[in-house]
Amino acid sequence: MKITVVGTGYVGLVTGTCLADVGNHVLCVDTDANKIEGLRNGVIPIHEPGLEPLVQDNYEAGRLAFTTDIAEGVDHAQVIFIAVGTPPDEDGSADLKYVLQVADSIGTHMDDYRVVVTKSTVPVGTASKVRDGILAALERRGASIDFSVVSNPEFLKEGAAVEDFMKPDRIIIGADDTRALEIMRDLYAPFNRNHQRVITMDVPSAELTKYTANAMLATKISFMNEMANLAERLGADIEAVRIGIGADPRIGYHFIYPGCGYGGSCFPKDVQALYRTAGEAGYDARILAAVEAVNRDQKHLVVDKLLRHFSGDISGRTFALWGLSFKPDTDDMREAPSRVVMEALWARGARVQAFDPVATPEARRIYGERADLVLNEDDPYAVLEGADALIVVTEWRAFRASDMQRIRDMLSGDAIFDGRNIFSPQAARDAGLVYHGVGR
């Protein structure tokens, strides 16, 4: 098929590339000329394992192309994916201006039947707004052209997005007409060879499915963080509790790891947007409000522990920070706990020496060059020198088997604040370190 993907951010680039890799002819459109030029030259704007060679292979094979011309994109394809950003508005609701701008462009330039697919995470009712936007543009032209609007939400985990797209748990398609549904079934046929993964439903249900999935996962995280905070006060070990409850197949082990809060481009934004959607529908979503409140407080937990350890005064001190991205295997620092921690330390007059294997360029982009921040992407132990304590906020795999004695020898101080519970408290203590975990 000929496919157009509008938006070459995280979702759009992965979607376009993976669809090209199974033999489709995909044109990716973006208004950012520098990004498009970079993609044509093999510069991938995001860190995602396995994506770079896939982009290069399909670009060289002629199945994947990039342009800034939306008219070219609309003319190219029978199926047009809208994968532009939906940033949170001031009140926490999803800002749909970019989505609706694309809808207007489609209506302005289309000359034959198109299937328009909302791939961005959007509130219930967005497909109707997209349909109205296309119709309004067609009316301005005095044109009457048939089209369909489909909801096909993405369920990609950063750090495993290529694998998730190629081997999906499910493919949700919300459609109101059989013509569009059959086209979407044909498009996703290469991803269904093992077993049928397509789940069809009405459009509003598909839109709500995405938000509900992310809100449920965020709820599990905040619930476990709530229990971790209780465990500390009761003298229990939340890691033992986690293993105990995870053995129940009704609960399972996924997303029940306590820590210093969730971040990224999805959970924080989507929980807030769903809460706003509920309010607009006249419903007070109290659980969603609590999930967000617990997570907001949890991001300050490590700093609260650190202040207690240093009797409230950390001015002039230096802290080593392991991890900048909101999760491993990505360079994404949107809503990352590391940002809350660093900014709180700086506000109290402390310096930060941070290590992350891939996110230091992103940290440099966000914060620039500053005297109270040293960044290192080569050696985690190097940032320990002269530091009063080590703070761990991202559970990179390379941290799991760290040398406790080496950490103790290189630190000026003797404390570890393990915001992800990746270290053995006993191993840390045996090395002469004062260990502070979450719920332990």
Side-chain angles (χ1 to χ4, degrees), residues 15-318:
T15 298
T17 303
C18 290
L19 288 173
D21 199 56
V22 295
N24 296 296
H25 293 273
V26 180
L27 180 60
C28 290
V29 183
D30 202 290
T31 57
D32 187 335
N34 290 331
K35 183 188 288 187
I36 291 298
E37 188 61 29
L39 286 165
R40 289 170 176 165
N41 290 305
V43 179
I44 309 302
I46 58 174
H47 175 84
E48 182 60 42
L51 181 60
E52 184 172 349
L54 215 57
V55 171
Q56 292 175 347
D57 289 349
N58 284 281
Y59 181 72
E60 291 170 3
R63 292 187 298 267
L64 182 63
F66 304 99
T67 184
T68 58
D69 187 350
I70 186 65
E72 181 187 357
V74 175
D75 181 64
H76 167 80
Q78 183 181 21
V79 181
I80 302 171
F81 283 88
I82 301 178
V84 295
T86 54
D89 219 332
E90 290 183 7
D91 63 354
S93 60
D95 186 347
L96 297 178
K97 65 181 177 184
Y98 301 118
V99 172
L100 298 180
Q101 283 172 8
V102 176
D104 182 79
S105 296
I106 292 170
T108 299
H109 298 292
M110 65 186 287
D111 58 3
D112 200 355
Y113 176 77
R114 297 288 186 271
V115 178
V116 180
V117 185
T118 55
K119 196 69 173 172
S120 305
T121 300
V122 292
V124 176
T126 300
S128 294
K129 294 179 180 178
V130 168
R131 183 178 290 107
D132 291 344
I134 295 173
L135 284 172
L138 288 171
E139 287 174 7
R140 288 199 305 270
R141 296 166 51 195
S144 179
I145 303 170
D146 193 21
F147 67 94
S148 301
V149 179
V150 171
S151 174
N152 174 221
E154 55 86 15
F155 297 94
L156 306 176
K157 299 186 296 290
E158 291 196 39
V162 172
E163 183 178 1
D164 284 348
F165 198 101
M166 294 298 196
K167 299 177 181 178
D169 298 320
R170 75 285 207 199
I171 300 166
I172 302 294
I173 299 175
D176 296 327
D177 65 89
T178 56
R179 183 180 182 184
L181 182 58
E182 289 311 307
I183 290 171
M184 294 300 290
R185 284 188 183 278
D186 288 345
L187 177 62
Y188 279 111
F191 307 96
N192 277 295
R193 295 192 68 193
N194 181 268
H195 65 273
Q196 182 57 251
R197 294 178 171 92
V198 171
I199 302 172
T200 61
M201 58 187 69
D202 60 272
V203 173
S205 296
E207 291 173 328
L208 185 57
T209 296
K210 169 62 178 180
Y211 273 115
T212 303
N214 278 357
M216 173 60 80
L217 297 175
T219 299
K220 291 182 74 173
I221 294 170
S222 279
F223 178 79
M224 281 306 290
N225 282 334
E226 188 107 281
M227 292 302 101
N229 296 336
L230 179 60
E232 282 193 15
R233 289 158 174 80
L234 298 177
D237 183 352
I238 195 62
E239 289 301 315
V241 174
R242 177 181 65 79
I243 293 168
I245 67 170
D248 185 333
R250 297 171 301 174
I251 298 173
Y253 290 106
H254 294 297
F255 287 87
I256 60 169
Y257 288 88
C260 51
Y262 60 76
S265 63
C266 295
F267 288 4
K269 174 174 69 72
D270 293 351
V271 169
Q272 292 173 30
L274 186 55
Y275 178 76
R276 293 293 175 184
T277 297
E280 291 167 2
Y283 183 73
D284 182 15
R286 291 166 292 173
I287 290 177
L288 293 178
V291 168
E292 172 65 16
V294 169
N295 189 62
R296 187 170 54 247
D297 291 345
Q298 202 71 12
K299 290 182 179 181
H300 293 275
L301 180 71
V302 169
V303 175
D304 292 343
K305 288 174 176 285
L306 185 144
L307 288 172
R308 285 196 296 272
H309 179 85
F310 289 100
S311 302
D313 183 14
I314 58 172
S315 179
R317 292 188 180 275
T318 298

Side-chain angles (χ1 to χ4, degrees), residues 406-426:
R406 187 179 177 190
I407 291 173
R408 177 65 188 91
D409 292 343
M410 295 190 72
L411 281 173
S412 293
D414 62 358
I416 285 184
F417 297 87
D418 184 0
R420 296 298 178 187
N421 286 358
I422 60 172
F423 298 143
S424 159
Q426 192 56 53

